[in-house]
């Protein structure tokens, strides 16, 4: 009795499972690398909001007002007064040696000028090398000094026999009421980790795809792969990709659990569209890996290009620099990365709660990259069967 032959796709899948089992590089790209990267990012940003940035306060006035200002700065959740140097020169040394991120100088005669109703200046020297840190400190110092100043003016108005409403109207004739939408707490975990964790996933999916398909050329096993797939390049690619797709789908679910269950990220739209977008983007990067290997037929070069391409995607997605502030050529260049569309889809559905039609448009844009990748299938098959493309580094 003859034993029925297995379907070619199962032959390829079994063959790939053996390669993963016996090659530690596969296991790193599939398990250890993504796991370390995802949890490292989670623990870095899990606090969500920057707190207790170190500053130094130089108090030359030593008055009740200067003490009140110093205590108010210390009470600010964004700041931590870690030093009270005797003079500005000592404070400057601390700033230059990165012990503190800012210096607030309370000059002599500060309280007397306030009582004489003269302008009293409080200089602040802020380290601007880190734009984000500098901005937070500047905002916190301005808010603290402004609050103290308004309190002094309010007391003066009350002493002039004005009621509280009249006094407030004189102190703040125009009041700004801010309504921060979608991310009211300024939580970095919500927009940084949503991007960084997912780009970590896509990067390893991209590299793993290049490594496994490029190894067939490097080791000269292309004809064995075609024999296992019954000379069907589509079955060969699908069978090789299947174990990776399953494992990386598990990592995608892990990312969502960390973001939504443990990180508290809001879900204002469709979770199904977010998950579907993740899977589509992951598959796109895997297929682009095949296309890149077919184009270069060089494993080392393909891995280098993939790393640069993935990191550039973060830069041009609008995450590190606002997309609206980029010149036109940069915005056009941003369209060369599937991650740009994925990030817009994620923010739209998770934070904004935008219409599903917008998310579907982003998904269609991502699918265009898949159509591009399909054009490399025949070329990859030709590379597999031709010995002159084998053995490239």
């Amino acid at each position: 009795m003859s034993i029925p032959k297995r379907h070619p796709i199962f032959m390829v899948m079994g063959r790939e499972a053996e390669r993963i089992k016996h090659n530690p590089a596969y296991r790193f790209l599939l398990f250890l690398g993504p796991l370390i990267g995802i949890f490292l990012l989670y623990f870095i940003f899990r606090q969500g909001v920057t707190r207790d940035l170190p500053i130094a306060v130089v108090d030359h006035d030593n008055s009740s007002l200067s003490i009140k200002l110093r205590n108010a700065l210390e009470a600010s959740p964004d700041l931590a007064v870690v030093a009270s140097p005797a003079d500005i020169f000592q404070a400057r040394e601390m700033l230059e040696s990165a012990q503190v991120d800012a210096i607030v100088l309370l000059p002599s005669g500060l309280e007397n000028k306030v009582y004489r109703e003269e302008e009293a200046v409080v200089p602040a020297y802020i380290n601007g090398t880190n734009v984000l840190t500098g901005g937070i400190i500047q905002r916190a110092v301005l808010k603290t000094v402004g609050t103290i100043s308004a309190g002094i003016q309010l007391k003066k108005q009350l002493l002039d026999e004005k009621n509280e409403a009249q006094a407030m109207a004189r102190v703040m004739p125009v009041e700004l009421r801010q309504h921060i939408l979608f991310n009211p707490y300024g939580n970095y975990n919500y927009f940084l980790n949503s991007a960084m964790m997912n780009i970590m996933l896509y990067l390893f999916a991209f590299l793993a795809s290049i490594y496994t398909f490029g190894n067939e050329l490097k080791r000269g096993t292309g004809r064995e792969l075609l024999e296992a797939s019954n000379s069907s390049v589509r079955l060969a690619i699908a069978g090789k990709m299947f174990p990776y797709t399953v494992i990386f789908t598990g990592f995608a679910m892990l990312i969502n659990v960390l973001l939504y269950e443990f990180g508290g990220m809001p879900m204002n739209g469709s979770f199904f569209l977010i998950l579907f977008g993740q899977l589509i983007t992951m598959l796109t990067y895997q297929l682009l890996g095949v296309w890149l290997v077919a184009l270069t037929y060089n494993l080392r070069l393909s891995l280098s290009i993939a790393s640069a391409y993935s990191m550039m995607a973060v830069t041009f997605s609008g995450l590190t620099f606002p997309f609206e502030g980029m010149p036109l050529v940069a915005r056009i260049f941003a369209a060369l990365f599937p991650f740009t569309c994925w990030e817009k889809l994620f923010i739209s559905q998770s934070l904004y709660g935008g219409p599903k039609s917008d998310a579907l448009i982003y998904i269609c844009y991502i699918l265009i990259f898949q159509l591009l990748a399909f054009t490399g299938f025949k070329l990859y098959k030709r590379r597999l069967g031709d010995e002159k493309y084998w053995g490239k580094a």
Side-chain angles (χ1 to χ4, degrees):
M1 183 177 179
S2 61
I3 300 175
K5 188 178 180 180
R6 288 194 299 170
H7 192 278
I9 196 169
F10 294 113
M11 297 284 289
V12 176
M13 288 167 54
R15 178 177 178 273
E16 194 65 23
E18 287 297 316
R19 293 164 73 92
I20 294 171
K21 180 179 177 182
H22 293 100
N23 191 329
Y26 283 88
R27 296 196 295 274
F28 175 81
L29 289 170
L30 270 173
F31 301 105
L32 191 60
L35 202 62
I36 292 173
I38 289 169
F39 276 106
L40 185 61
L41 288 169
Y42 171 74
F43 284 112
I44 288 174
F45 295 108
R46 67 173 179 168
Q47 186 175 350
V49 180
T50 303
R51 301 288 188 193
D52 298 328
L53 295 171
I55 68 169
V57 175
V58 180
D59 188 356
H60 285 168
D61 194 41
N62 292 314
S63 62
S64 59
L65 177 59
S66 65
I67 292 172
K68 186 176 181 179
L69 265 170
R70 186 191 186 285
N71 292 338
L73 290 168
E74 177 63 37
S76 172
D78 298 323
L79 306 174
V81 179
V82 298
S84 299
D87 54 54
I88 190 66
F89 301 104
Q90 185 180 349
R92 179 176 176 176
E93 290 178 2
M94 297 182 69
L95 184 65
E96 290 175 346
S97 61
Q99 297 179 53
V100 297
D101 290 320
I103 303 168
V104 177
L105 174 62
L106 305 178
S108 58
L110 176 67
E111 188 175 58
N112 290 334
K113 285 184 178 180
V114 171
Y115 286 154
R116 293 197 303 265
E117 296 188 356
E118 298 177 5
E119 182 182 22
V121 178
V122 176
Y125 305 91
I126 301 171
N127 183 1
T129 54
N130 187 312
V131 177
L132 186 62
T133 302
I136 293 172
I137 293 175
Q138 181 179 9
R139 182 186 64 200
V141 171
L142 284 173
K143 184 178 180 180
T144 301
V145 174
T147 302
I148 296 292
S149 179
I152 294 171
Q153 291 297 322
L154 181 62
K155 285 182 180 180
K156 287 182 177 180
Q157 295 297 324
L158 291 173
L159 289 173
D160 290 341
E161 298 183 353
K162 292 183 173 63
N163 60 40
E164 189 172 345
Q166 291 174 326
M168 285 297 297
R170 292 292 295 271
V171 173
M172 296 186 65
V174 179
E175 181 184 0
L176 174 65
R177 293 186 179 179
Q178 297 185 73
H179 301 277
I180 302 175
L181 305 178
F182 312 124
N183 188 5
Y185 302 105
N187 193 312
Y188 298 104
N189 185 43
Y190 289 179
F191 73 96
L192 281 179
N193 254 354
S194 64
M196 298 307 294
M197 282 186 176
N198 280 288
I199 196 62
M200 187 70 66
L201 172 69
Y202 303 145
L203 172 63
F204 277 100
F206 200 11
L207 295 179
S209 177
I210 289 172
Y211 189 78
T212 185
F213 287 105
N215 249 336
E216 299 288 356
L217 296 178
K218 180 181 178 181
R219 301 186 182 282
T221 56
R223 288 176 184 167
E224 295 176 17
L225 175 62
L226 290 175
E227 289 175 6
S229 65
N230 198 21
S231 295
S232 171
V233 70
R234 292 180 178 84
L235 291 179
I237 292 172
K240 283 180 72 67
M241 280 178 52
F242 183 79
Y244 302 90
T245 303
V246 171
I247 293 168
F248 286 125
T249 299
F251 279 118
M253 295 303 299
L254 173 63
I255 289 172
N256 292 331
V257 169
L258 292 175
L259 290 177
Y260 294 107
E261 294 299 323
F262 294 97
M265 181 176 289
M267 172 55 69
N268 296 317
S270 169
F271 177 73
F272 172 77
L273 283 176
I274 289 176
L275 181 60
F276 184 68
Q278 272 181 310
L279 300 182
I280 288 295
T281 309
M282 183 181 66
L283 285 170
T284 300
Y285 275 98
Q286 287 182 283
L287 290 170
L288 286 175
V290 182
W291 180 81
L292 192 57
V293 168
L295 192 66
T296 65
Y297 54 91
N298 186 305
L299 178 58
R300 185 183 302 171
L301 177 61
S302 297
L303 290 172
S304 299
I305 293 173
S307 300
Y309 180 77
S310 300
M311 293 302 101
M312 289 172 66
V314 178
T315 303
F316 287 93
S317 67
L319 181 71
T320 54
F321 187 84
F323 188 77
E324 294 75 13
M326 295 181 186
L328 179 60
V329 64
R331 281 180 278 168
I332 294 173
F333 191 67
L336 300 178
F337 307 97
F339 182 76
T340 302
C341 297
W342 151 253
E343 183 65 11
K344 291 181 180 296
L345 184 155
F346 184 91
I347 292 175
S348 168
Q349 288 303 302
S350 184
L351 299 180
Y352 293 169
K356 295 180 179 178
S357 57
D358 289 351
L360 293 175
I361 292 173
Y362 295 136
I363 289 174
C364 289
Y365 281 142
I366 295 170
L367 290 174
I368 291 174
F369 288 91
Q370 288 196 14
L371 295 177
L372 170 66
F374 289 146
T375 62
F377 281 18
K378 288 185 178 180
L379 180 60
Y380 182 63
K381 183 178 182 179
R382 189 159 67 246
R383 307 287 200 218
L384 289 175
D386 194 336
E387 294 183 12
K388 71 178 182 180
Y389 299 112
W390 298 353
K392 300 290 183 180

